[in-house]
Amino acid sequence: MVLSIFRKQRTPRATTAPKPRAADGEILLETVGLTKTYAGADGELPVLAGIDLQVRAGEVVALLGKSGSGKSTLLRCLAGLVPASSGTIAYRDEPLKGANPGTAMVFQTFALLPWLTVQQNVELGLEARRVPADQRAEAAVRAIDLIGLDGFESAFPKELSGGMRQRVGFARALVVEPGVLMMDEPFSALDVLTAENLRGELMELWESGQFPTRAIVLVTHNIEEAVLMADRIVVLGSRPGTIKETFHVDLDRPRDRNSAAFEDLIDRVYRVMTGRTKETRIPGRPDGLELDKRTTANTPLPLASVDGLSGLAEMIAHQGGSCDLADDLGLEVDDMLPLVDALELLGFAKVSEDDILLTEQGSAYAGADVQESKTIFAEAAMGAPLVRLITTSLRQNPDNALRAGFFRDVLAHHYTSEQVTQQLETATDWGRYAELYGYDADPQEYRLDNDQATPVPQS
Ligand code: ADP
Ligand code: MG
């Protein structure tokens, strides 16, 4: 069962081979009403809610979403590595009981065993499935050959470049000929050119008919990668992760980045990802709420550093104060969205469907010298609920100081502990820069900045 497909010879880089997958259309993976929650301090925190998803033979499905939207969790649920909290997950109509026998996973960080050679790393997957040694070796050699690693069989991971290591990751997953190949951001740890090359080779192989799996599920935060590779793009929204929209990608392969259809799809996906379309505008986004209705629960701080958001403000200012989000800035979505959200939350920018426009305050901020910009930032940051909460709590405390644990407890009612840490790190960065308050790692204490430590009039 394991060795059949690898017997075929590798053909030269084919371009127009027809898709040979026989049972195209059969549902391989299916979730119905899949929900996943994790325990938080204040009860269960929903990570995935009501996910109905099908993966059919013959398709490449991309799960696309901002970081934290639950993509990896969904992939792990599909692979049977974490159980669903409710709903069902089935592989070829069989509900999962533990690890999914029809999937193999490629990870972002390669996850190779350093003391094993390339060949031994690739054989690992087969050992777990109790394939006899001679068959293992044969299958591993074929997988290694298929993925362009021939000649590296006896090398150790540390001798390989990142791209070659990820090839080992692919070979190790492909050698078991899984029904569905699962990939969690497999190119994001690689440099741009290596990633591009590997993506291209993988898609050629998929198209050539030699690919030993029947479907691919790709997790990515990169819109262009999704449009380049997928037949179907499933966009996940955050908190909790739900399917926001599904796009069918009807573009011939290899796909032409410069074609109008490609660019048009990128723009459409972008709009859904950023939540700018009327239908998907959700309450709780910084721009969706009146200032006085914002709370730490409904308006988390975007995870943007002051340097990052200032940099973006300056880039927009250089473009004349407004620009097209998708085209003009050339930044990756995952890098840019928190910065855009931060500028909006601070009232420094407004975002329409495609464009971002600096407000008067935003232009002043971008053009100001260091001291001025700190003053402008301090005023704006008080509109961010967590910064405001920390500042006002410190002002009301007689010592003008409070343990970080106090704010942790407040936030733990609405966030996972990882998110609490991220929220506080961002609030610390913003508050320090604004000179509103400082933070001492030892003894984990927030303290009002000296200039701020005047008592507020109590009403
Ligand atoms: P993505 O892959 O889209 O970045 P993840 O699936 O890794 O998102 O995480 C989604 C959310 O679930 C995040 O808020 C994360 O903090 C939370 N989460 C993930 N794994 C766990 C876990 N084991 N325990 C608690 N929370 C978790
Ligand atoms: Mg992830």
Side-chain angles (χ1 to χ4, degrees):
M1 105 287 184
V2 167
L3 304 173
S4 54
I5 300 175
F6 283 117
R7 290 230 169 80
K8 290 178 202 148
Q9 269 305 303
R10 200 173 175 191
T11 48
R13 296 193 161 203
T15 47
T16 51
K19 277 192 192 174
R21 285 171 290 278
D24 273 18
E26 183 198 348
I27 296 173
L28 296 176
L29 283 171
E30 182 165 32
T31 72
V32 179
L34 168 64
T35 297
K36 180 71 192 169
T37 58
Y38 283 113
D42 197 33
E44 297 286 302
L45 292 160
V47 174
L48 298 172
I51 303 277
D52 295 323
L53 179 71
Q54 295 180 337
V55 176
R56 291 171 182 272
E59 58 171 4
V60 179
V61 176
L63 305 176
L64 178 69
K66 296 189 203 181
S67 112
S69 56
K71 305 180 295 293
S72 295
T73 303
L74 177 53
L75 199 70
R76 282 188 214 119
C77 286
L78 291 170
L81 301 176
V82 296
S85 301
S86 68
T88 58
I89 311 169
Y91 178 68
R92 303 184 75 184
D93 285 338
E94 280 287 316
L96 292 189
K97 302 181 200 76
N100 188 335
T103 59
M105 185 87 89
V106 179
F107 298 96
Q108 178 184 351
T109 49
F110 321 142
L112 306 179
L113 297 181
W115 59 89
L116 296 183
T117 63
V118 166
Q119 166 117 17
Q120 289 165 334
N121 265 289
V122 174
E123 285 187 31
L124 267 187
L126 295 173
E127 263 173 62
R129 297 185 190 209
R130 296 174 195 224
V131 177
D134 55 334
Q135 286 186 34
R136 276 203 315 258
E138 217 183 313
V141 167
R142 266 191 292 273
I144 284 167
D145 183 37
L146 185 78
I147 207 75
L149 269 171
D150 17 346
F152 290 90
E153 291 86 350
S154 56
F156 288 93
K158 67 168 189 293
E159 302 171 61
L160 304 178
S161 64
M164 284 295 164
R165 281 185 210 167
Q166 190 55 300
R167 282 172 204 261
V168 182
F170 281 118
R172 189 183 47 196
L174 291 175
V175 76
V176 303
E177 299 188 2
V180 186
L181 179 68
M182 318 288 266
M183 307 197 283
D184 194 348
E185 314 228 8
F187 308 107
S188 59
L190 305 174
D191 66 81
V192 178
L193 291 177
T194 304
E196 183 65 11
N197 186 41
L198 214 47
R199 266 185 219 116
E201 285 187 25
L202 196 75
M203 291 323 289
E204 269 175 25
L205 213 51
W206 170 254
E207 285 290 285
S208 74
Q210 295 176 71
F211 208 71
T213 88
R214 298 172 69 201
I216 296 179
V217 180
L218 166 75
V219 158
T220 181
H221 64 258
N222 181 325
I223 295 178
E224 193 174 83
E225 181 169 292
V227 177
L228 267 177
M229 297 181 67
D231 299 297
R232 205 148 54 86
I233 300 173
V234 176
V235 181
L236 295 184
S238 311
R239 297 178 59 82
T242 51
I243 295 180
K244 252 182 164 178
E245 192 153 332
T246 300
F247 293 88
H248 291 269
V249 189
D250 267 332
L251 302 172
D252 290 338
R253 291 196 173 99
R255 289 178 179 158
D256 177 6
R257 278 195 168 87
N258 298 317
S259 73
F262 190 93
E263 290 183 356
D264 176 61
L265 185 56
I266 296 248
D267 282 351
R268 279 161 49 212
V269 177
Y270 197 96
R271 259 171 249 154
V272 171
M273 282 270 287
T274 52
R276 310 294 169 197
T277 52
K278 283 203 183 68
E279 312 80 78
T280 58
R281 182 172 283 273
I282 39 170
R285 286 192 50 84
D287 55 331
L289 276 184
E290 307 280 327
L291 202 59
D292 59 357
K293 299 215 177 82
R294 292 177 185 167
T295 65
T296 52
N298 68 22
T299 311
L301 291 182
L303 304 183
S305 69
V306 174
D307 279 333
L309 67 91
S310 306
L312 181 60
E314 270 169 39
M315 278 172 82
I316 302 167
H318 281 307
Q319 307 238 3
S322 75
C323 58
D324 186 299
L325 266 176
D327 295 341
D328 293 346
L329 294 170
L331 296 172
E332 257 199 46
V333 173
D334 212 39
D335 302 334
M336 185 151 75
L337 286 183
L339 305 179
V340 171
D341 286 350
L343 290 184
E344 271 195 302
L345 175 62
L346 292 163
F348 287 168
K350 287 216 173 305
V351 182
S352 66
E353 280 212 349
D354 306 301
D355 296 329
I356 182 162
L357 175 78
L358 287 187
T359 58
E360 207 174 304
Q361 220 182 353
S363 301
Y365 177 68
D369 66 26
V370 177
Q371 274 318 314
E372 272 171 11
S373 68
K374 277 176 182 272
T375 310
I376 298 171
F377 187 86
E379 193 182 324
M382 287 297 279
L386 183 54
V387 174
R388 187 181 182 79
L389 173 76
I390 295 174
T391 310
T392 52
S393 306
L394 292 173
R395 283 183 190 161
Q396 281 159 14
N397 185 290
D399 301 332
N400 291 147
L402 278 165
R403 302 294 289 255
F406 171 77
F407 299 109
R408 282 195 159 273
D409 288 349
V410 173
L411 292 173
H413 292 279
H414 311 287
Y415 298 95
T416 65
S417 64
E418 190 189 333
Q419 289 168 335
V420 170
T421 303
Q422 292 170 333
Q423 287 292 303
L424 285 177
E425 276 171 10
T426 304
T428 303
D429 180 46
W430 289 23
R432 278 179 173 156
Y433 175 76
E435 299 182 14
L436 288 167
Y437 48 79
Y439 175 69
D440 278 329
D442 187 15
Q444 302 202 0
E445 196 174 73
Y446 285 92
R447 180 171 288 284
L448 264 199
D449 214 67
N450 287 338
D451 298 345
Q452 301 284 328
T454 41
V456 259
Q458 305 280 325
S459 53

